[in-house]
């Protein structure tokens, strides 16, 4: 299983939110480019960027994202507000390993099919999940769709993977939603990336044991609950 | 027309079983290799370690080898492909020896290889028919066949060029995980089974 540090961007800063709520910001750091490089120095070769402002339509950190891609210190998967074919093309051309698609991909299956077929292996679908149901629009709106019906709908597409964020666990470092992740892995004909709630190496080992392909880790790395060097050493890069 | 997955007891086989069941044929899990080869198609799954799996095969290794040589269709995935060979640097124990050669650690700084990789020098038409051009890998070791002619597809991780797939008779071994390689990977499994187990 890969271990991937999260770089969540808000107003040009790297932040961490609790429970996916914008008024519960717990970490705020300057200079995202420097932070990306630090993760690489600690031993990570892949980073997960989310533009939180673009995801919620409050703004954009595209320039910062482009700087990180140009810097090329790691392989980047980039998401947050990626809603047009132009967005996808621009990010892939700038060097992103894959783009992470959320809201529009979930709301418009025809669009997801078109862009996934046009960019095989380069589109990852992100499902923010609360109690097994998928939420979109920066977590403000909860759809009533079951995550497993989403998996079935996209099973025929050449996706790079499915990122499942257990939003109700996010930023709490009290453990992931293991039963959810295990069931999604069982149901998915593509790699499953897990995030939300990872607080310890034991959480990561439990995810690996259940066949999760990669874990995206945020709060636990930014607060020092997990030693990045130990993490990068135990889990392959 | 039963498909049997040999269960070494090492991990989660649900997604593989789900894909196999999608072919419309009955699928069973079997922990005893002698029982497992009493089937129409044997699947050696890709979870666990070489020695532990070799240990589980030990008593029935010769039976299984003879059955495969006599034409029993077999699909080996990841570790399951490696078990088709003689031995592995991963640990002690004998593989089935259907294919001559050893399994060795990948010559790369990033090991295991986890992620998507392209397939090249593909000589088996099954890949094109399934539109499978990139595949999902999670492996630290790779097979080194004595006879490269058995290799029907290759991949390269860093500087290590290794067999992505081997075929001999009715046996197909793949180092990647077709059951996690998205729609084309699932199609690859389905077409292999449809070819080898015509209704």
């Amino acid at each position: 299983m890969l271990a991937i540090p999260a770089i969540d961007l808000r107003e040009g800063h790297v932040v961490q939110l609790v429970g996916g709520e914008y008024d519960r910001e717990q970490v705020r750091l300057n200079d995202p480019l420097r932070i990306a490089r630090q993760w690489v120095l600690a031993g990570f070769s892949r980073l997960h960027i989310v533009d939180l402002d673009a995801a919620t339509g409050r703004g954009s950190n595209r320039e910062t994202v482009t700087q990180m891609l140009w810097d090329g210190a790691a392989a980047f998967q980039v998401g947050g507000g990626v809603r047009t074919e132009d967005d996808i093309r621009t990010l892939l051309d700038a060097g992103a390993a894959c783009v992470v698609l959320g809201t529009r991909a979930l709301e418009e299956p025809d669009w997801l099919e078109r862009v996934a077929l046009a960019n095989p292996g380069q589109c990852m679908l992100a499902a923010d999940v609360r109690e097994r149901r998928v939420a979109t629009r920066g977590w403000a709106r909860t759809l009533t769709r079951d995550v497993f019906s989403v998996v079935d709908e996209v099973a025929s597409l050449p996706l790079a993977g499915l990122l499942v964020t257990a939003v109700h666990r996010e930023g709490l470092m009290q453990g992931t939603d293991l039963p959810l992740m295990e069931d999604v892995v069982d149901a998915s004909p593509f790699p499953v990336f897990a995030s939300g709630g990872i607080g310890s190496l034991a959480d990561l080992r439990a995810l690996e044991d259940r066949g999760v392909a990669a874990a995206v880790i945020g709060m636990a790395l930014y607060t020092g609950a997990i030693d990045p060097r130990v993490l990068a050493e135990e889990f392959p890069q | 027309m039963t498909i049997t997955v040999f269960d070494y007891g090492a991990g989660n086989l649900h997604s593989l079983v789900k894909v196999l069941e999608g072919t419309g044929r009955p699928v069973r899990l079997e922990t005893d290799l002698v029982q497992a080869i009493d089937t129409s198609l044997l699947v050696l799954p890709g979870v666990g370690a070489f020695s532990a799996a070799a240990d589980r095969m030990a008593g029935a290794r010769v039976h299984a080898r003879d059955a495969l040589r006599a034409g029993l269709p077999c699909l080996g995935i990841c570790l399951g492909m490696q078990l088709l060979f003689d031995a592995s640097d991963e640990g002690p124990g004998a593989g089935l020896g259907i294919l001559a050669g050893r399994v060795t650690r990948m010559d790369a700084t990033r090991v295991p290889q986890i992620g998507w990789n392209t397939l090249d020098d593909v000589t088996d038409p099954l890949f094109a028919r399934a539109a499978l051009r990139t595949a999902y890998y999670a492996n630290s070791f790779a097979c080194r066949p004595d006879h490269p002619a058995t290799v029907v597809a290759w991949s390269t991780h860093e500087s290590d060029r290794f067999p992505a797939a081997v075929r001999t008779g009715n046996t197909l071994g793949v180092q990647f995980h077709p059951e996690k390689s998205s729609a084309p990977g699932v199609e690859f499994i389905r077409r292999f089974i449809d070819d080898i187990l015509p209704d």
Side-chain angles (χ1 to χ4, degrees):
Chain A
M1 187 181 76
L2 292 175
I4 305 174
I7 298 187
D8 294 353
L9 298 170
R10 184 181 191 184
E11 296 156 355
H13 301 274
V14 175
V15 301
Q16 285 291 298
L17 307 179
V18 177
E21 291 176 28
Y22 284 75
D23 53 0
R24 294 180 71 195
E25 184 182 294
Q26 192 155 317
V27 171
R28 177 171 281 241
L29 300 165
N30 294 323
D31 201 347
L33 188 60
R34 178 183 56 83
I35 289 165
R37 287 176 179 162
Q38 282 184 350
W39 289 135
V40 173
L41 280 175
F44 298 97
S45 65
R46 194 174 183 102
L47 301 175
H48 181 86
I49 304 175
V50 180
D51 185 340
L52 293 172
D53 294 321
T56 49
R58 296 167 194 219
S60 169
N61 295 277
R62 181 58 63 82
E63 205 171 307
T64 307
V65 172
T66 307
Q67 274 178 5
M68 285 195 277
L69 293 175
W70 277 102
D71 192 50
F76 292 99
Q77 44 194 59
V78 184
V82 183
R83 292 195 178 97
T84 67
E85 273 128 307
D86 270 359
D87 288 339
I88 294 170
R89 201 64 265 152
T90 305
L91 289 167
L92 291 176
D93 285 349
C98 76
V99 290
V100 182
L101 309 174
T103 304
R104 185 171 178 192
L106 290 163
E107 291 177 351
E108 293 180 39
D110 293 348
W111 181 74
L112 174 62
E113 182 174 350
R114 195 164 67 240
V115 298
L117 290 172
N119 306 283
Q122 292 184 298
C123 294
M124 181 177 299
L125 179 63
D128 293 334
V129 179
R130 275 186 210 276
E131 309 297 348
R132 306 210 158 201
R133 299 205 174 266
V134 175
T136 58
R137 292 269 157 88
W139 306 310
R141 201 173 86 175
T142 299
L143 294 179
T144 52
R145 267 199 297 169
D146 182 277
V147 63
F148 299 101
S149 73
V150 172
V151 169
D152 282 345
E153 274 171 35
V154 300
S156 67
L157 302 179
L159 296 176
L162 173 68
L163 171 67
V164 177
T165 300
V167 183
H168 54 293
R169 302 293 185 104
E170 208 172 22
L172 297 171
M173 296 192 293
Q174 291 169 357
T176 57
D177 188 337
L178 277 179
L180 167 71
M181 299 302 175
E182 182 170 16
D183 290 348
V184 175
V185 168
D186 288 350
S188 299
F190 28 64
V192 172
F193 290 56
S195 79
I198 295 165
S200 67
L201 287 170
D203 289 339
L204 288 154
R205 291 175 193 133
L207 286 171
E208 181 170 47
D209 185 53
R210 282 155 180 82
V212 169
V216 177
I217 305 135
M219 194 69 87
L221 278 175
Y222 287 96
T223 57
I226 295 178
D227 182 332
R229 288 179 191 277
V230 173
L231 174 61
E233 196 153 302
E234 175 165 342
F235 290 91
Q237 295 300 317
Chain B
M1 282 298 166
T2 302
I3 298 170
T4 303
V5 180
F6 179 45
D7 181 359
Y8 332 113
N12 189 326
L13 301 173
H14 284 121
S15 51
L16 175 61
V17 168
K18 188 179 172 197
V19 169
L20 295 170
E21 284 174 344
T23 69
R25 296 168 179 87
V27 178
R28 70 186 168 104
L29 292 175
E30 181 53 70
T31 54
D32 181 314
L33 187 54
V34 175
Q35 303 289 328
I37 58 177
D38 181 17
T39 187
S40 308
L41 168 71
L42 175 68
V43 178
L44 302 174
V47 289
F50 188 92
S51 291
D55 218 34
R56 294 292 286 265
M57 300 196 314
R61 195 177 65 85
V62 176
H63 291 302
R65 191 189 61 199
D66 291 348
L68 265 59
R69 283 192 178 152
L72 172 66
C74 175
L75 173 63
I77 297 171
C78 196
L79 172 64
M81 171 187 180
Q82 297 171 6
L83 289 167
L84 300 172
F85 287 80
D86 296 319
S88 173
D89 288 353
E90 191 186 351
L96 289 171
I98 299 297
L99 289 155
R102 274 190 81 80
V103 178
T104 68
R105 192 169 180 84
M106 298 189 87
D107 182 17
T109 53
R110 286 176 297 129
V111 173
Q113 155 184 235
I114 297 182
W116 296 81
N117 203 339
T118 52
L119 303 162
D120 60 45
D121 275 350
V122 175
T123 55
D124 194 312
L126 189 58
F127 287 85
R129 287 166 55 217
L132 183 62
R133 295 178 198 92
T134 60
Y136 181 75
Y137 285 94
N139 63 308
S140 300
F141 291 81
C143 306
R144 317 295 176 181
D146 291 350
H147 307 294
T150 55
V151 180
V152 295
W154 295 82
S155 285
T156 304
H157 177 53
E158 295 181 14
S159 60
D160 191 344
R161 186 166 162 76
F162 62 94
V166 289
R167 204 198 259 259
T168 178
N170 287 334
T171 295
L172 174 67
V174 292
Q175 186 60 67
F176 55 87
H177 285 271
E179 79 282 12
K180 290 289 173 192
S181 294
S182 194
V186 173
E187 184 66 11
F188 179 84
I189 293 177
R190 195 183 67 75
R191 286 186 181 250
F192 171 70
I193 292 173
D194 284 351
D195 286 353
I196 216 144
L197 298 180
D199 290 323

